[in-house]
Amino acid sequence: MPPPIDLLPSLMDGLRRTLVIAAGGSVLAIAFALLAGLGCLSRDPIVRTVARVYIEVFRGTSALVQLFWFYFALPILLGLRLDAMLVGVLVLGLNIGAYGAEVVRSAIESVPAGQVQAAAALSMNRWQTMRYIVLPQAILLMLPPFGNLLIELLKSTALVSMITVTDLTRAGLFLRDDTLRTAEVFGMLLLIYFSLSLMITAVMRGLERWLSHGQDYGGRQ
Amino acid sequence: MIWDWEFAISILPEILRGLGVTLLAVFWGMTIALSLGLVWATARRSTNRLVAWPVACFVEFVRSTPLLVQIFFLFYVLPSLGLTLSPLLAGVVALGIHYSCYTSEVYRAGINAVPRGQWEAARALSFSRWESYRYVILPQAIPPIIPALGNYVIAMFKDAPLLSAITVLEILQRAKIIGNETFRYLEPFTVVGVIFLILSLLSGLLLTRLERRLKLVSA
Amino acid sequence: MNESRPPILRIRDLHKWYDDLHILRGLSCDLRAGEKVAIIGPSGSGKSTLLRLLMTLESPDSGEIEVDGQAMWSTTPAGRTVAAGEDVLRRIRAKLGMVFQHFHLFPHLTVLRNITAAPQIVKGIARDAAERRAGELLEMVGLADKANAYPAQLSGGQKQRVAIARALAMDPSVMLFDEVTSALDPELVGEVQDVLRQLAHQAAMTMLIVTHEMQFAREIADHVMFFDAGTIVEQGAPEQIFSAPKEDRTREFLQRVIDR
Ligand SMILES: Nc1ncnc2c1ncn2[C@@H]1O[C@H](COP(=O)(O)OP(=O)(O)O)[C@@H](O)[C@H]1O
Ligand SMILES: [Mg+2]
């Protein structure tokens, strides 16, 4: 294979791990975002507080610090060693989920009040209104910012290389040590991450188009 | 007790020294980000496609790839081009360039929000393009985006620990060294986390205040 | 003859404040089943607020509301105003339907699903039964061909007719209309008024219609209430209110809207 393509096979294992972490992290992030975003709007003050604290803590501390804390400090508290991959998925999910929660909350709040009133006038209860009227409309508003967050998550997966996971980035560092082709290796890493980001963007665009047919956002008031 | 207060307090000075380095990196990183971002933003609005297009691609590329890999790239690749930077300097430049691609989007939004009529009025007074930016457009575009730019200061602060990957003795790196030397990880990393939390919350509060002030002024 | 039966709607000494704004100031009235009542009055006089209280979109600060003999808000012996339990409220609310000035159709659902959503979700009616009923209602409002359109593809008049069908699908016995033609272009007002006229022919349907169209109020209502500053200043038969108002404020108001 011509250089720099010949570097690719040695990066494949790392790429696979990066993809696993990104996928697992995304699923967790979306789940946490929905839970905490809805939690912020709960009528129960305890639920609201828990959601708020989670969001502030994970948005307020650095993702890398969180990784270190979960990987090095938490095992001391728990008395057991945690798998580095698992910590990566969990921390990235929690971190991006906290940002996603704000997206969920503000999307729900920006569904016009008239929609909730109309649902109430049709005797729907809070849960039915949320499930059938508010969420389907809010999800459309969430998609673009969520797309950005998933790209942030993909980029953050590189951080797991610092807690011993041989992801794409760490595989690149090893490969550089082996080959000393520094510019090529790091250039290749950047290109791979860039392509993955483009893929996320494309998928989100498609999803948006698929979900948005026939909608108008123009609900007055 | 697993948690040792005495130990936690004893490592505080060392960690605060690291915080100083972190804040220094953020200060210079943000200086670069704010200036370069403005350059990208105006370049992307240029009528010359040969300027606008490459800049747009560069900005997209940098925004879509990990800061950590960019840091490695700058730190390890530049020496082979005959340019050797200290770890701190390489890190600051990486932070600055990375965030300039975010601030450029903020500038663009601010500039786009200035009504067309302002450009036309400036043109009618025979201002050059540069003079229009300098005296008419930017003075209106920038105040409303200050809170958004402020958010990127906080974001950069939270990304600064990545510089530990190239051995910069910033806050997280010092915590790690303490951990490696004492085999106690709980206190150093918790202290660092708490410091981040306090500073982010405080600066967040400050920003909301600032935002409200700016709204009052513009109202 | 109807006096022996309880009124379908009984309101006593209703007060509502927004902060330090006293919006409803001791409002009382009765509606008999099947009555068509028009509410007129200057904007800001509390007409929408009354409808929103009936629909439990808001809570009163004091007063009593009964629907079909069931208390929705009542006064305890100690003088406190309390709501009925959530169950009772839900049962009462199901007897009321409301149509809004700005339609509030669900933009993510087709016309058909807008109409079938609540019957299926709230009442648990089977899908094909709900759709059959929706078909009849769309026929009635003249939009049978729009079943699969989305709200964004409809004109204002069509949206409002769908909104009426949507409310009717829950089989309410009282329908509340809050300035349902005010947001429409003038040439679309007629088609919505036609639907209201048609509804008014149903003897059992109680209608409470807030409107600024005096001609229409006079034609459709068998009772007119004039609101001002949170109270009913004057009420009576349309002929009397429009031709021989007793109160100065009524006369002034009518003068103003007819001059316009
Ligand atoms: N949610 C609210 N908060 C504060 N004031 C309100 C609110 N809703 C209505 N109002 C005020 O109450 C008054 C009566 O409103 P409304 O019942 O809508 O009047 P109408 O429908 O007769 O025009 C108005 O002055 C309005 O500004
Ligand atoms: Mg009104």
Side-chain angles (χ1 to χ4, degrees):
Chain A
M1 276 188 281
I5 308 294
D6 61 323
L7 294 171
L8 268 180
S10 335
L11 293 174
M12 276 306 142
D13 244 15
L15 174 60
R16 194 178 46 75
R17 273 195 204 94
T18 290
L19 289 178
V20 168
I21 295 173
S26 300
V27 172
L28 274 188
I30 290 170
F32 287 130
L34 278 174
L35 276 179
L38 289 173
C40 279
L41 300 169
S42 163
R43 277 191 291 195
D44 185 340
I46 296 173
V47 174
R48 274 205 310 270
T49 310
V50 170
R52 215 52 254 173
V53 167
Y54 156 65
I55 292 172
E56 293 301 339
V57 166
F58 278 88
R59 278 165 33 114
T61 54
S62 156
L64 187 58
V65 174
Q66 288 159 25
L67 275 174
F68 276 43
W69 195 88
F70 273 75
Y71 187 63
F72 293 110
L74 185 62
I76 299 173
L77 286 179
L78 297 180
L80 60 96
R81 191 127 203 97
L82 295 173
D83 175 61
M85 279 274 277
L86 190 73
V87 168
V89 170
L90 184 68
V91 168
L92 294 183
L94 283 166
N95 181 271
I96 300 293
Y99 289 89
E102 293 288 60
V103 170
V104 170
R105 183 185 58 78
S106 73
I108 287 175
E109 283 180 341
S110 60
V111 171
Q115 293 290 307
V116 177
Q117 290 170 12
L122 292 167
S123 300
M124 293 191 193
N125 62 29
R126 265 173 76 91
W127 159 246
Q128 292 164 336
T129 303
M130 186 56 82
R131 161 77 181 76
Y132 295 101
I133 305 303
V134 175
L135 270 186
Q137 297 183 55
I139 280 174
L140 258 180
L141 301 175
M142 293 176 205
L143 280 183
F146 251 114
N148 289 338
L149 281 181
L150 292 186
I151 291 178
E152 286 302 315
L153 189 139
L154 170 73
K155 295 185 338 183
S156 303
T157 57
L159 301 184
V160 300
S161 66
M162 298 181 66
I163 55 165
T164 75
V165 178
T166 308
D167 71 325
L168 181 58
T169 298
R170 197 171 163 92
L173 287 170
F174 288 149
L175 190 59
R176 166 185 173 271
D177 290 342
D178 292 346
T179 63
L180 297 176
R181 289 157 64 184
T182 308
E184 279 170 77
V185 170
F186 288 129
M188 187 63 90
L189 291 191
L190 290 173
L191 275 179
I192 297 175
Y193 280 112
F194 183 58
S195 323
L196 293 177
S197 294
L198 287 184
M199 273 181 234
I200 294 179
T201 308
V203 168
M204 294 308 284
R205 290 251 167 84
L207 210 61
E208 240 170 282
R209 207 165 316 127
W210 181 62
L211 281 173
S212 68
H213 66 111
Q215 291 225 2
D216 80 58
Y217 305 88
R220 282 189 252 175
Q221 284 201 337
Chain B
M1 256 306 255
I2 312 175
W3 175 268
D4 183 349
W5 275 108
E6 220 165 284
F7 176 60
I9 288 165
S10 74
I11 61 174
L12 210 49
E14 176 66 8
I15 284 181
L16 287 180
R17 254 195 300 282
L19 177 64
V21 176
T22 300
L23 293 178
L24 190 75
V26 172
F27 177 81
W28 289 113
M30 210 57 207
T31 308
I32 296 175
L34 288 176
S35 344
L36 265 186
L38 193 53
V39 173
W40 305 148
T42 47
R44 279 186 80 170
R45 288 182 61 94
S46 161
T47 44
N48 185 348
R49 292 238 183 121
L50 282 178
V51 175
W53 250 89
V55 170
C57 291
F58 176 76
V59 166
E60 271 320 300
F61 186 84
V62 172
R63 280 158 49 94
S64 309
T65 50
L67 172 60
L68 183 63
V69 182
Q70 292 166 9
I71 292 173
F72 286 144
F73 190 91
L74 276 183
F75 185 62
Y76 291 116
V77 176
L78 283 186
S80 62
L81 302 175
L83 190 66
T84 307
L85 302 179
S86 75
L88 180 58
L89 190 54
V92 165
V93 171
L95 279 177
I97 292 177
H98 188 79
Y99 274 89
S100 72
C101 295
Y102 286 90
T103 57
S104 95
E105 294 302 292
V106 178
Y107 282 124
R108 256 156 48 90
I111 293 171
N112 286 340
V114 176
R116 266 189 84 83
Q118 293 295 312
W119 283 104
E120 287 160 9
R123 180 58 42 88
L125 295 170
S126 57
F127 280 10
S128 71
R129 206 175 153 74
W130 154 248
E131 286 164 340
S132 306
Y133 267 122
R134 167 76 182 74
Y135 296 105
V136 179
I137 304 304
L138 291 183
Q140 299 180 63
I142 291 181
I145 58 170
I146 288 175
L149 293 173
N151 273 322
Y152 282 117
V153 178
I154 303 179
M156 185 189 279
F157 172 56
K158 287 181 284 192
D159 265 347
L162 269 65
L163 301 197
S164 65
I166 50 170
T167 71
V168 176
L169 283 173
E170 49 67 68
I171 187 166
L172 186 64
Q173 181 72 356
R174 299 206 191 212
K176 207 161 91 185
I177 292 173
I178 294 170
N180 288 342
E181 282 169 354
T182 59
F183 298 105
R184 301 199 60 105
Y185 290 101
L186 181 60
E187 291 84 357
F189 289 136
T190 307
V191 167
V192 169
V194 170
I195 289 178
F196 267 93
L197 190 57
I198 292 174
L199 286 180
S200 310
L201 288 180
L202 278 182
S203 37
L205 273 177
L206 231 72
L207 262 184
T208 340
R209 272 252 187 98
L210 184 73
E211 206 166 346
R212 217 172 299 143
R213 274 264 281 290
L214 286 171
K215 274 214 188 91
L216 283 181
V217 170
S218 68
Chain C
M1 49 167 186
N2 273 326
E3 298 309 318
S4 55
R5 281 216 299 155
I8 185 120
L9 212 60
R10 180 176 173 279
I11 296 169
R12 285 293 173 274
D13 199 25
L14 203 59
H15 287 267
K16 174 71 184 171
W17 295 76
Y18 284 118
D19 301 322
D20 48 2
L21 280 179
H22 200 174
I23 303 299
L24 292 186
R25 306 176 176 219
L27 196 115
S28 301
C29 64
D30 286 333
L31 254 68
R32 279 174 288 114
E35 211 171 6
K36 321 294 185 243
V37 175
I39 299 180
I40 61 171
S43 74
S45 58
K47 306 182 298 293
S48 298
T49 304
L50 173 63
L51 299 200
R52 295 161 58 78
L53 284 173
L54 290 174
M55 210 68 239
T56 54
L57 299 175
E58 313 262 357
S59 315
D61 292 298
S62 70
E64 296 174 12
I65 301 179
E66 270 177 28
V67 178
D68 211 2
Q70 272 180 310
M72 193 170 182
W73 290 90
S74 51
T75 312
T76 61
R80 283 198 317 125
T81 300
V82 292
E86 193 50 46
D87 282 0
V88 179
L89 283 184
R90 199 170 310 136
R91 225 172 311 129
I92 294 177
R93 205 189 288 131
K95 294 182 183 170
L96 307 174
M98 181 162 178
V99 183
F100 302 85
Q101 182 176 356
H102 294 291
F103 335 125
H104 299 327
L105 289 185
F106 304 132
H108 61 299
L109 302 178
T110 62
V111 164
L112 185 71
R113 289 292 294 145
N114 258 280
I115 300 174
T116 59
Q120 282 185 246
I121 296 166
V122 176
K123 289 190 165 174
I125 290 175
R127 185 186 178 128
D128 49 343
E131 285 179 357
R132 217 172 315 120
R133 174 85 176 115
E136 293 166 15
L137 288 166
L138 279 174
E139 196 78 50
M140 180 196 135
V141 300
L143 290 172
D145 54 329
K146 295 291 185 191
N148 295 314
Y150 281 90
Q153 299 162 314
L154 304 181
S155 73
Q158 292 171 328
K159 284 184 193 170
Q160 198 57 297
R161 286 187 279 156
V162 172
I164 295 172
R166 180 176 72 174
L168 289 172
M170 292 294 278
D171 289 322
S173 38
V174 181
M175 282 282 282
L176 312 175
F177 297 91
D178 192 1
E179 296 192 33
V180 292
T181 57
S182 297
L184 300 178
D185 293 335
E187 75 271 19
L188 302 177
V189 168
E191 62 188 58
V192 173
Q193 290 184 341
D194 283 342
V195 173
L196 292 188
R197 281 191 194 97
Q198 224 178 312
L199 264 184
H201 288 311
Q202 301 183 5
M205 178 65 74
T206 311
M207 293 167 75
L208 197 52
I209 306 161
V210 175
T211 181
H212 280 307
E213 315 272 342
M214 296 306 142
Q215 199 49 52
F216 181 66
R218 185 173 193 156
E219 172 202 332
I220 198 169
D222 36 46
H223 191 83
V224 177
M225 297 176 175
F226 171 63
F227 264 50
D228 194 17
T231 51
I232 299 173
V233 174
E234 181 172 0
Q235 55 179 314
E239 282 311 312
Q240 183 255 305
I241 298 284
F242 288 111
S243 310
K246 293 191 186 101
E247 301 289 329
D248 288 345
R249 275 148 83 190
T250 320
R251 204 169 309 128
E252 271 165 39
F253 171 75
L254 288 173
Q255 206 90 61
R256 240 181 312 134
V257 290
I258 286 161
D259 279 354
R260 239 187 346 185

